Amino acid sequence: MKVLLENWRIFISEAITDIVSDKLSDIFEDGTLRPEVIKTIKKGVSEIKQQFPDLEILDYFLVGAAVTYQYSNTSDIDTTIVISEDMDPQEYKIVDKWIEKNIDPKYAFKKRPYQFKITLASDISRDSLHHTDTAYDVKNQSWIKKPDLETAKQQHKKHIADLESYENRIYKAIERSIQPSFARLDRAIDSQLGDRATGTMNEGLSDDLKKMMNTVYKIYEKIKNMRSKAYSGKDKRVQQRISQNWGTGNIIYKFLDREGYNDVFAMVKKAVRSNFEIVDQKFLKNLKQRLSTVIDDEIGFKV
């Protein structure tokens, strides 16, 4: 469970904020996975096995937005690869990083990237797919957990489209709490960048800028912990929903992601974790550009 909650590339890429389509995505044809998609997935799994011959692959199947009724034209084709729970944690990281660097960027179907993600057997099995709306067996061309169109429509209407839903009300409150910190961070960046006419940046990062980055990072940590609750079994609302993806924390995280907040959090996270060593003039200008897309944003999720 620890691995599951710490690595967000596992399982949880369903685009639950997307409008529900009446048909499956273009990786399917007549209800079954396209042959070219099957071929690519099998090839990717084979290449991973060739690179790590001692890796015990127990199972693999598709999860994520591309196998639901809620997807975009660029939704990833997510392949979960189940491996032995006895795997050494350090070796796990090595394999995971190699896949992310060497396999994931290599393949795409139209505008859809493929993503291959290893996960421990102790965190996932075909009998415990609480985290995902659906799962598809590539080898047997069959559903492990079939997507439910009517339930998807009901849940989207109730939790996403209804602006007075519990999730939307909490999201508005979170936005209101985030906005002042983002505005102060933006001002601190302006002070740090110094004389824009000459393009010079003040030497050394100011204490105020570091303080504001740390403040925003703490907000991100709270949001991440809130999201973790959706997958921890502690969110009672999840019990009435199709999967843990529909936990309040994950819905709010998806709202933040869709509206650009997570782009800011991602940059601030890198800065803080590097002890600000990566922060230079280019970094700050990029961060300011990302901030500009969300500062003074209209409060509330725009469906």
Side-chain angles (χ1 to χ4, degrees):
M1 179 60 72
K2 182 180 179 183
V3 173
L4 172 60
L5 296 180
E6 287 181 350
N7 196 328
W8 297 116
R9 287 207 306 129
I10 307 176
F11 316 132
I12 50 182
S13 57
E14 272 91 340
I16 57 177
T17 54
D18 283 325
I19 300 298
V20 182
S21 173
D22 285 325
K23 61 181 181 180
L24 293 169
S25 75
D26 55 2
I27 69 171
F28 288 93
E29 186 175 34
D30 297 328
T32 57
L33 204 59
R34 290 180 179 272
E36 57 266 44
V37 176
I38 296 173
K39 182 179 179 180
T40 300
I41 293 169
K42 288 184 176 180
K43 186 175 181 181
V45 172
S46 176
E47 289 180 6
I48 294 167
K49 184 64 177 175
Q50 288 174 12
Q51 179 68 23
F52 302 99
D54 294 333
L55 182 67
E56 186 179 2
I57 296 178
L58 305 176
D59 196 5
Y60 64 91
F61 44 82
L62 290 183
V63 295
V67 290
T68 71
Y69 288 102
Q70 289 178 272
Y71 53 85
S72 71
N73 291 334
T74 58
S75 294
D76 296 343
I77 302 171
D78 296 301
T79 302
T80 291
I81 300 174
V82 184
I83 60 174
S84 172
E85 60 191 54
D86 299 326
M87 188 176 191
D88 177 75
Q90 197 59 40
E91 182 67 18
Y92 180 99
K93 291 181 181 179
I94 292 171
V95 176
D96 185 52
K97 290 296 182 183
W98 185 87
I99 293 171
E100 189 175 4
K101 181 180 179 180
N102 296 281
I103 300 297
D104 289 349
K106 192 174 179 179
Y107 299 111
F109 176 79
K110 298 181 180 179
K111 295 181 180 180
R112 300 187 188 282
Y114 287 83
Q115 280 203 344
F116 295 81
K117 186 70 189 101
I118 59 169
T119 189
L120 303 179
S122 54
D123 285 332
I124 178 64
S125 74
R126 294 184 177 217
D127 299 323
S128 60
L129 294 169
H130 309 302
H131 55 273
T132 184
D133 290 14
T134 181
Y136 189 85
D137 187 331
V138 178
K139 291 178 289 186
N140 296 317
Q141 279 277 49
S142 62
W143 292 102
I144 302 169
K145 185 177 183 180
K146 192 172 183 179
D148 187 327
L149 177 58
E150 290 307 312
T151 299
K153 288 181 177 179
Q154 291 168 9
Q155 293 194 148
H156 186 273
K157 180 179 179 180
K158 182 176 181 180
H159 306 297
I160 308 294
D162 181 1
L163 300 182
E164 296 305 316
S165 70
Y166 177 77
E167 287 75 19
N168 271 289
R169 286 187 282 113
I170 296 297
Y171 177 64
K172 290 175 185 177
I174 289 174
E175 271 194 299
R176 291 190 184 100
S177 70
I178 290 174
Q179 283 287 335
S181 295
F182 275 22
R184 288 194 289 272
L185 175 59
D186 188 59
R187 290 194 293 271
I189 292 172
D190 279 342
S191 297
Q192 184 68 50
L193 288 174
D195 188 349
R196 291 191 177 182
T198 61
T200 58
M201 175 174 157
N202 294 331
E203 290 294 328
L205 295 187
S206 69
D207 290 339
D208 186 44
L209 179 56
K210 291 180 180 179
K211 178 182 177 182
M212 285 316 306
M213 283 196 178
N214 277 312
T215 296
V216 170
Y217 180 69
K218 288 177 182 177
I219 293 172
Y220 161 75
E221 287 287 294
K222 289 179 180 179
I223 291 169
K224 188 176 74 169
N225 289 337
M226 180 178 64
R227 190 186 194 193
S228 296
K229 184 179 178 182
Y231 297 93
S232 68
K234 296 178 181 178
D235 185 348
K236 294 182 180 179
R237 291 180 177 83
V238 173
Q239 297 172 7
Q240 308 302 319
R241 302 175 187 180
I242 194 170
S243 78
Q244 292 170 340
N245 279 317
W246 290 89
T248 297
N250 190 49
I251 292 175
I252 290 169
Y253 183 90
K254 291 294 187 179
F255 285 168
L256 292 166
D257 190 54
R258 184 57 59 90
E259 300 210 313
Y261 288 91
N262 288 346
D263 291 337
V264 176
F265 287 134
M267 288 197 71
V268 171
K269 174 184 172 182
K270 289 179 180 178
V272 172
R273 290 194 171 183
S274 75
N275 198 26
F276 307 107
E277 291 181 3
I278 66 170
V279 180
D280 56 14
Q281 187 178 46
K282 181 179 179 182
F283 181 95
L284 290 177
K285 286 183 177 180
N286 287 339
L287 178 55
K288 185 172 177 61
Q289 192 280 324
R290 294 191 185 190
L291 279 165
S292 70
T293 66
V294 289
I295 288 179
D296 295 328
D297 190 29
E298 180 183 349
I299 299 299
F301 181 68
K302 296 178 283 294
V303 181

